[in-house]
Amino acid sequence: MSPLTDLAVSLMADCATSAFWGCPNIFGMPEYIGIQIINIALTDGVSPGTAQGLFWCLGGASERRHMYRFCSDLAKLGLQMAYKFGSTSDKCRCETLFSAFASGYSPEPIRTIIPRVEAAITEASSAGDRVYEAFARCHALSLRLYCSEHLSDLVPYAEEIVTDIRAWAVNSDTNSLAMGILMTIRALAGETDGRTVDNAFDTEKWKEAHFLHKLHDASGNFNVVMNWYNSFKVWLYNT
């Protein structure tokens, strides 16, 4: 494998992330990029970033083909390749993508995914990958919520994550994802208004209407962020 091919695969993996968040109107673009990364591996050999190509194919396999067992097996193969051929950054990205795209289809209990995501946070921090570090922090927080960790522990943990993300990307989609989880935890802890659907997340200092207005103007993929945000809201009202 030549350094030029390794560079091309690395850039394509970055393009897949950008396509997922920044090109919502181009249907299937991340999956297409993932398939092209795999094609390069089949013709020219495996690169450090090849494993990410497998993960970007998972959306098509699970959501459009309903091949959930295949999706889980492909993700596990991706993790094995990341740890055998990938850099620290590749490992953290694959662990994060596993949590995001494959953990729901994996036969493993959700609680066992938490150490994976915490390892991804450490790896991302050491690699200087602030984007995937923020994604990993969001998924670590959501997994802790799903596993019913005590709210008195989750509220300060969530506030710390939101503060860290805001410090370098205040208007990012990652900040919006983290805010959705934080406000859900606050609502469960009784720290929000909670009397109607429209103000379920409102507090004295935070108003959902203002947040959503800013989100609509600043988000790179408004539909994905709102799907995440509203899913937590629906889950809250059925808890």
Side-chain angles (χ1 to χ4, degrees):
M1 179 63 66
S2 70
L4 186 60
T5 304
D6 289 347
L7 175 61
V9 170
S10 177
L11 291 174
M12 290 173 70
D14 286 340
C15 287
T17 302
S18 298
F20 183 82
W21 288 105
C23 304
N25 297 323
I26 304 178
F27 182 76
M29 180 57 71
E31 291 92 333
Y32 174 79
I33 295 174
I35 291 172
Q36 295 307 310
I37 291 175
I38 294 172
N39 284 337
I40 291 175
L42 294 175
T43 57
D44 297 329
V46 176
S47 293
T50 297
Q52 293 184 60
L54 295 176
F55 281 97
W56 286 114
C57 294
L58 298 184
S62 60
E63 296 177 14
R64 287 186 277 280
R65 296 292 184 178
H66 308 293
M67 301 168 65
Y68 303 114
R69 182 60 182 270
F70 175 76
C71 174
S72 175
D73 292 342
L74 193 64
K76 291 178 181 178
L77 174 61
L79 286 177
Q80 292 175 5
M81 292 181 64
Y83 277 89
K84 185 172 183 178
F85 301 105
S87 63
T88 301
S89 179
D90 295 313
K91 294 173 187 176
C92 87
R93 292 185 176 205
C94 289
E95 290 284 14
T96 304
L97 293 173
F98 181 89
S99 173
F101 294 155
S103 61
Y105 311 125
S106 173
E108 303 174 29
I110 288 293
R111 187 174 294 277
T112 64
I113 308 299
I114 295 177
R116 289 184 176 278
V117 188
E118 291 178 339
I121 294 172
T122 302
E123 290 163 349
S125 179
S126 65
D129 193 337
R130 295 301 301 268
V131 173
Y132 271 85
E133 180 183 354
F135 288 149
R137 285 180 177 272
C138 288
H139 287 291
L141 177 59
S142 64
L143 290 171
R144 290 179 181 275
L145 176 60
Y146 301 153
C147 292
S148 302
E149 293 197 8
H150 202 282
L151 294 173
S152 62
D153 297 326
L154 283 178
V155 170
Y157 180 61
E159 290 174 344
E160 178 184 350
I161 288 175
V162 171
T163 300
D164 288 345
I165 294 174
R166 280 181 175 173
W168 64 277
V170 65
N171 291 321
S172 68
D173 286 329
T174 318
N175 177 60
S176 302
L177 301 182
M179 281 302 304
I181 315 172
L182 170 60
M183 298 317 297
T184 300
I185 295 171
R186 282 179 174 172
L188 290 171
E191 297 183 4
T192 61
D193 189 301
R195 287 175 289 185
T196 67
V197 175
D198 291 336
N199 61 13
F201 290 163
D202 284 7
T203 65
E204 292 183 359
K205 298 181 179 180
W206 193 89
K207 300 300 179 183
E208 181 181 89
H210 178 67
F211 170 76
L212 294 180
H213 178 73
K214 291 179 62 178
L215 175 63
H216 185 270
D217 293 338
S219 176
N221 195 332
F222 182 74
N223 290 334
V224 168
V225 176
M226 285 307 300
N227 179 63
W228 172 283
Y229 185 87
N230 287 331
S231 293
F232 277 105
K233 207 168 189 181
V234 170
W235 177 73
L236 174 67
Y237 267 84
N238 286 277
T239 300

